[in-house]
Amino acid sequence: MKNEIAEVWFFNQGWEAHAFQKACWQQIAAGHSGILNAPTGYGKTFAIWFGVLDSYYRQQETLDKKPKKSLHTLWITPLRALSKEIHKATSQVSLDLDLDYEIELRTGDTSTSARQKQRKNPPQALITTPESVHLILASKGGQDYFKNLEFIVVDEWHELLGSKRGVLIELAISRLKSINPKLKIWGISATIGNLAEAKEILLGPGNQGVMVKADIQKKLEIQTVFPDNLEKFPWAGHLGIRLLDKVVDVINQYQTTLIFTNTRSQAEIWYQQIITAYPEFAGLLAIHHGSLSDEVRMWVEEALHEGKLKAVVCTSSLDLGVDFRPVDCVVQVGSPKGIARFLQRAGRSGHRPDATSIIYYVPTNSLEIIEGDSLKYAVKEKLVESRIPFVRSFDVLIQYLMTLAVGDGFQADDILQEVAQTHCFESITQEEFDQCMALLIHGGNSLQAYDDFHRLELIDGLYKVTSRKLAMRHRLSIGAIVSDLMMRVKFLSGKYLGSIEESFISKLNLGDVFWFSGRQLELVQIIANDAIVKPSTKKKGVVPSWMGGRFAISPDLGEAIRHSFRNIHKKSGISPEIKFLRPLFQEQEKLSALPKEDELLVEYIKSKYGYHLFLYPFEGKLVHEGMAQVLAYRLSLLKPATFSIATNEYGIELLSETDYELDVTALQQLFDPAGLHKDINSGINVMEMAKRRFRDIAGIAGLVFQGFPGKQMKSKHLQANAGLFFSVFAEYDPNNLLLREAYDEVFDFQLEEGRMKMAFDRIAGHKIIFSTPDRFTPFSFPIFAESFRERYSNEDWQSRLEKLKMQLLDG
């Protein structure tokens, strides 16, 4: 079956459609749902879009008279920037072909008047975010708005899948399928380890759907940036900025370069350092991250599109499918932490068919150089992470029930049947659903005495919210994105620069200087949620630290790093990275031992600071934090002791004043997988972690109101309110679903218990090499430096660390 609209447009562009685009058009024409998997820059949007247009105009041909205009397609994206990109591309098609198919945007930036106009006079296609779909469902007549909907397209589905925003989509689709059972659902996804599962979760049970995979291998060139000299005793972050001149050399080779950092604070540092060292980049270098104002980010995005910028220092805010054709090079500063993230970022360059994606990997310490080898191996072997979907997220379900009640109301039995068809709630019982309803109707077992928690009323067989105050509060709270509370950063003139986490600002005194939005700013005063600042010329400033920076290497990247240890022992045929690191490995072997892929190295070192136990599982910082607590607990059962714990992506340090008699047998017992769950509960303050997790859950479920726009509640008040609910539930309602969810999320996502258990199981089958060096080794020094930095954070710890390093080198 021909797609004439696509053929005409592609012919006018002078393009030839790819096989996967034609396959999509055929499958959509045949009435199928499915998932499209294709590389960046090859026209995934058009693969779906022309199928949608073809379906619409074929239907129009069969009708006697033109029907009243209604919403035909809902295109959901995770980012506003991506929504704008899709809107621009699809609107251009309608303009080029003079089609009467109207496309509009609805995001957080859309004005109230534009939203009201969209409600009264809907476009044929609405490009929006998961939260905006729920906002429509929370309005009167919202469900009627979707009655003629034919297509739902979920863009970047892999990005949404492993988050509670993915649950929002599952729930919205369950309702929209009920309104229109003939709905066709399409997902667009990058390659992930569980692509088949991603399809099943999106389409739901009973819908087989199709998988369209592009048979295209995107050319990728990975180059590691090496320092001039190898530091045999490295420490974290030490190397990155030292490679600044080499990074600028890379920038000068290409038309436009994106410099990706893992954290917003790192982005601020790199921007500041480049501008300071190379003032000629003023006006050609920009910074882009999620805490900057929309105005700043939009300016950067437009300037990128128009090719006006030489480079942009950015974070994951530019990860997703925004198409910047002038970008022909990407720089990744530090470990990307995951293979999929690395590939996603690499794909930002050469964003067109047949172009090679070029990415330079810039290590931030000597040991990180090995990841250049690991990443090349992972790409060659097609190792890529799975996205773990959330299950039994009752906070999101409670919010969703409230959304339906604020809108047109709902029948409880119908909604239970619908939500039980989603992956997230396939195991829900009638009792659990009743508990969610009870919390909304009268506050459940513990909160019945408080009128604020009598939220739903049964009117003519439908559960509804009659209080306008509760309805307004709920609409303001819709969503599942949680983070530290934000404060707005403003100049004395009132100009808004962006937002910053309250926990950072609370540590500053008036007059302190910090870097933000590429500027040095002095804190002048704090008024409510506004941090008032003025430009500063002081030499030293603090770099904001954002909570989002704490993510660890993925299991697949951990596997690839451990695989690189196989190459370390080879005499020939090794990568440039391993070759460069050889002196460090030789020093490590001379002082202690060099583990193989299936060996665990344990070092026990005595120093003036105490007894240091170093272990190197190469599982990532978050897993190591949990493992360290368990190992400290197990050691304290052998002999009571107090431990200082330090971790990095590669290993663990347990430091105490107590000397332990250790050997391989004792270490094997320490890593025994048996009783792990019990020891996690005993050795880690899981209750305190659950209490902090509960704050987010309470916010999503609507137990704690986070405040009005521009007047958010202070985090200490929020924490206190959530803590009060946590204590009440723990004492009077221990089986409360939200309380159980807090503990489940701690074990699954914070402690990563499943991954920790896999690490203990793996190590149980490994040979343990036990070494007792007389001083710190190249492997142990970076971890020791982590704890040293914490210990001497108010002193000149860098010069003290350098002095200690010189002693090791002299030794």
Side-chain angles (χ1 to χ4, degrees):
M1 192 183 289
K2 281 190 169 187
N3 188 320
E4 291 175 3
I5 299 173
E7 284 184 2
V8 168
W9 190 79
F10 271 71
F11 178 79
N12 290 345
Q13 303 297 314
W15 295 351
E16 176 66 40
H18 293 292
F20 77 85
Q21 291 172 320
K22 292 176 181 175
C24 271
W25 302 337
Q26 287 167 2
Q27 296 293 352
I28 292 170
H32 295 142
S33 295
I35 275 207
L36 166 62
N37 170 237
T40 297
Y42 281 80
K44 295 193 293 285
T45 301
F46 295 135
I48 304 294
W49 188 248
F50 281 105
V52 166
L53 288 177
D54 179 64
S55 173
Y56 177 78
Y57 283 106
R58 279 182 193 279
Q59 277 186 3
Q60 297 294 305
E61 287 172 10
T62 63
L63 299 172
D64 293 335
K65 62 174 184 174
K66 200 171 183 181
K68 187 184 172 189
K69 194 170 65 152
S70 62
L71 188 67
H72 173 257
T73 300
L74 191 62
W75 193 295
I76 303 172
T77 80
L79 286 178
R80 280 181 285 188
L82 183 55
S83 296
K84 288 173 189 166
E85 187 70 30
I86 303 296
H87 180 252
K88 191 175 176 182
T90 52
S91 298
Q92 191 61 48
V93 171
S94 286
L95 193 67
D96 290 347
L97 297 177
D98 197 23
L99 302 177
D100 60 351
Y101 195 89
E102 207 176 306
I103 308 126
E104 289 186 14
L105 266 178
R106 178 181 166 136
T107 66
D109 297 334
T110 309
S111 67
T112 307
S113 59
R115 291 179 190 190
Q116 286 171 346
K117 182 171 163 284
Q118 286 169 351
R119 288 298 314 279
K120 288 177 187 168
N121 185 24
Q124 278 95 341
L126 192 65
I127 300 167
T128 188
T129 58
E131 293 76 16
S132 288
V133 177
H134 281 252
L135 269 167
I136 296 170
L137 288 172
S139 57
K140 303 300 176 193
Q143 299 190 34
D144 215 33
Y145 188 69
F146 296 112
K147 68 181 181 187
N148 294 320
L149 189 68
E150 189 178 339
F151 287 96
I152 293 180
V153 182
V154 183
D155 215 335
E156 305 284 0
W157 171 232
H158 62 283
E159 199 63 38
L160 291 158
L161 178 63
S163 71
K164 288 186 180 179
R165 297 180 82 203
V167 180
L168 285 176
I169 286 177
E170 285 187 65
L171 290 169
I173 288 176
S174 75
R175 182 86 282 264
L176 297 179
K177 279 200 294 195
S178 181
I179 294 168
N180 188 346
K182 293 181 180 177
L183 197 61
K184 290 180 274 294
I185 302 157
W186 277 84
I188 301 174
S189 176
T191 301
I192 53 174
N194 55 335
L195 197 55
E197 184 186 33
K199 185 190 85 165
E200 287 165 22
I201 292 169
L202 182 66
L203 304 187
N207 188 334
Q208 296 300 308
V210 293
M211 178 87 71
V212 178
K213 293 182 85 166
D215 187 19
I216 296 170
Q217 293 302 314
K218 179 84 172 169
K219 293 192 284 266
L220 176 62
E221 187 181 313
I222 303 169
Q223 293 194 30
T224 302
V225 178
F226 294 104
D228 292 329
N229 301 301
L230 175 65
E231 294 270 6
K232 289 185 188 174
F233 293 91
W235 41 271
H238 181 54
L239 184 59
I241 290 298
R242 290 196 177 184
L243 294 172
L244 186 134
D245 291 341
K246 291 179 183 279
V247 170
V248 170
D249 287 344
V250 169
I251 293 169
N252 286 328
Q253 287 177 47
Y254 297 93
Q255 183 184 341
T256 307
T257 299
L258 293 182
I259 303 164
F260 278 104
T261 66
N262 289 334
T263 63
R264 287 169 270 189
S265 52
Q266 228 182 357
E268 294 283 350
I269 291 170
W270 272 83
Y271 176 85
Q272 199 73 18
Q273 295 281 351
I274 294 173
I275 282 292
T276 304
Y278 294 88
E280 64 268 26
F281 277 112
L284 298 174
L285 179 74
I287 184 169
H288 189 290
H289 60 67
S291 288
L292 299 177
S293 66
D294 288 341
E295 184 188 353
V296 171
R297 282 186 286 164
M298 283 171 67
W299 179 86
V300 174
E301 288 161 22
E302 283 303 315
L304 260 176
H305 266 298
E306 292 163 16
K308 292 178 180 176
L309 295 172
K310 189 70 180 157
V312 177
V313 185
C314 55
T315 61
S316 53
S317 59
L318 285 184
D319 265 7
L320 297 183
V322 184
D323 180 7
F324 301 120
R325 292 189 182 274
V327 174
D328 45 14
C329 174
V330 165
V331 172
Q332 167 64 41
V333 176
S335 168
K337 312 287 189 177
I339 299 151
R341 184 180 292 109
F342 185 73
L343 292 172
Q344 186 89 35
R345 291 177 174 181
R348 298 296 102 225
S349 72
H351 203 291
R352 55 192 176 274
D354 304 323
T356 299
S357 292
I358 301 167
I359 185 162
Y360 287 81
Y361 168 58
V362 179
T364 58
N365 72 63
S366 299
L367 263 181
E368 258 186 9
I369 292 169
I370 199 171
E371 291 191 36
D373 176 79
S374 308
L375 287 162
K376 288 172 186 173
Y377 166 75
V379 169
K380 180 169 160 279
E381 295 298 317
K382 296 185 170 59
L383 285 181
V384 68
E385 293 84 9
S386 295
R387 294 293 170 103
I388 310 303
F390 274 72
V391 292
R392 299 172 63 75
S393 299
F394 292 107
D395 53 342
V396 184
L397 177 58
I398 288 166
Q399 183 189 107
Y400 170 65
L401 294 173
M402 190 73 178
T403 293
L404 297 180
V406 166
D408 296 323
F410 67 92
Q411 286 186 322
D413 289 345
D414 292 348
I415 297 302
L416 172 57
Q417 284 182 6
E418 287 174 20
V419 300
Q421 294 294 301
T422 65
H423 178 268
C424 186
F425 298 105
E426 64 185 358
S427 66
I428 193 172
T429 64
Q430 181 72 51
E431 185 188 348
E432 288 166 339
F433 186 78
D434 290 345
Q435 206 185 122
C436 294
M437 289 296 294
L439 198 65
L440 289 167
I441 294 166
H442 53 66
N445 293 341
S446 320
L447 306 173
Q448 294 184 27
Y450 303 96
D451 290 345
D452 269 5
F453 300 104
H454 294 206
R455 293 186 268 178
L456 301 192
E457 293 178 34
L458 189 60
I459 300 169
D460 299 330
L462 296 176
Y463 283 99
K464 294 187 176 184
V465 172
T466 55
S467 162
R468 290 184 68 183
K469 176 185 157 190
L470 283 177
M472 181 178 66
R473 278 189 168 195
H474 176 74
R475 289 191 187 106
L476 291 171
S477 304
I478 283 177
I481 301 173
V482 287
S483 62
D484 195 8
L485 282 174
M486 307 305 281
M487 296 190 73
R488 291 175 301 187
V489 181
K490 286 183 172 181
F491 278 133
L492 286 162
S493 64
K495 185 179 178 190
Y496 171 59
L497 290 174
S499 53
I500 206 161
E501 283 167 5
E502 186 186 60
S503 58
F504 171 76
I505 290 288
S506 66
K507 293 172 188 164
L508 298 181
N509 297 312
L510 298 184
D512 282 357
V513 173
F514 64 98
W515 288 340
F516 183 71
S517 187
R519 298 173 170 95
Q520 278 185 287
L521 306 170
E522 182 180 325
L523 184 62
V524 178
Q525 64 184 130
I526 293 172
I527 304 172
N529 267 42
D530 293 342
I532 310 299
V533 298
K534 65 180 182 182
S536 171
T537 53
K538 290 181 184 175
K539 294 290 182 198
K540 288 196 172 179
V542 186
V543 178
S545 58
W546 279 270
M547 298 299 284
R550 287 189 79 253
F551 57 90
I553 59 170
S554 69
D556 298 80
L557 183 53
E559 182 188 330
I561 292 168
R562 288 191 296 275
H563 178 271
S564 291
F565 274 80
R566 179 185 297 179
N567 301 334
I568 287 168
H569 298 270
K570 284 182 182 175
K571 299 293 181 212
S572 60
I574 54 173
S575 67
E577 290 83 3
I578 302 291
K579 193 174 181 180
F580 185 83
L581 285 170
R582 184 143 274 172
L584 185 149
F585 295 135
Q586 286 168 346
E587 185 76 10
Q588 172 67 30
E589 197 163 26
K590 184 177 86 177
L591 294 174
S592 173
L594 199 57
K596 293 178 181 166
E597 187 179 9
D598 56 354
E599 294 175 340
L600 174 74
L601 173 62
V602 178
E603 295 174 340
Y604 198 43
I605 303 170
K606 184 185 177 185
S607 79
K608 65 180 181 181
Y609 304 102
Y611 296 91
H612 307 257
L613 181 64
F614 291 102
L615 314 102
Y616 308 100
F618 291 89
E619 282 286 351
K621 189 172 175 64
L622 285 186
V623 178
H624 289 164
E625 284 175 2
M627 289 178 84
Q629 301 265 23
V630 171
L631 296 172
Y633 170 71
R634 289 180 172 181
L635 279 169
S636 67
L637 295 179
L638 301 175
K639 193 190 289 184
T642 303
F643 291 96
S644 294
I645 294 173
T647 60
N648 67 7
E649 296 291 12
Y650 303 152
I652 296 164
E653 177 198 32
L654 298 176
L655 170 63
S656 79
E657 293 177 2
T658 306
D659 185 11
Y660 283 89
E661 291 179 19
L662 294 174
D663 57 21
V664 170
T665 306
L667 290 167
Q668 283 170 336
Q669 289 170 350
L670 272 186
F671 277 100
D672 187 350
L676 181 61
H677 183 77
K678 180 174 75 68
D679 289 349
I680 289 173
N681 271 305
S682 303
I684 300 174
N685 190 350
V686 175
M687 183 176 168
E688 185 57 36
M689 293 173 81
K691 192 181 280 190
R692 292 186 177 279
R693 195 92 188 181
F694 186 79
R695 190 193 93 176
D696 296 340
I697 289 168
I700 291 171
L703 288 178
V704 176
F705 180 53
Q706 315 228 8
F708 295 99
K711 291 186 178 177
Q712 279 108 334
M713 205 182 286
K714 285 191 175 293
S715 61
K716 60 184 178 187
H717 295 153
L718 262 181
Q719 192 64 55
N721 290 349
L724 190 62
F725 284 118
F726 185 89
S727 302
V728 168
F729 290 154
E731 188 169 350
Y732 300 105
D733 190 9
N735 291 320
N736 184 282
L737 287 176
L738 299 181
L739 188 69
R740 276 164 41 196
E741 184 181 341
Y743 280 98
D744 287 345
E745 286 187 13
V746 164
F747 281 109
D748 291 345
F749 297 104
Q750 215 162 332
L751 290 172
E752 297 202 62
E753 184 186 12
R755 200 171 147 193
M756 208 194 298
K757 174 145 189 349
M758 285 167 65
F760 273 82
D761 286 341
R762 176 177 62 76
I763 289 165
H766 280 197
K767 179 184 175 185
I768 293 179
I769 301 171
F770 182 54
S771 170
T772 54
D774 56 7
R775 54 199 170 100
F776 294 119
T777 64
F779 280 14
S780 64
F781 189 75
I783 315 173
F784 169 74
E786 290 281 325
S787 59
F788 194 89
R789 183 191 306 214
E790 295 297 320
R791 216 174 301 141
Y792 299 107
S793 57
N794 295 324
E795 302 175 41
D796 187 9
W797 62 273
Q798 290 189 345
S799 59
R800 296 178 75 154
L801 206 54
E802 284 289 348
K803 192 174 170 185
L804 184 60
K805 186 170 78 176
M806 295 313 295
Q807 289 169 1
L808 290 171
L809 289 167
D810 293 342

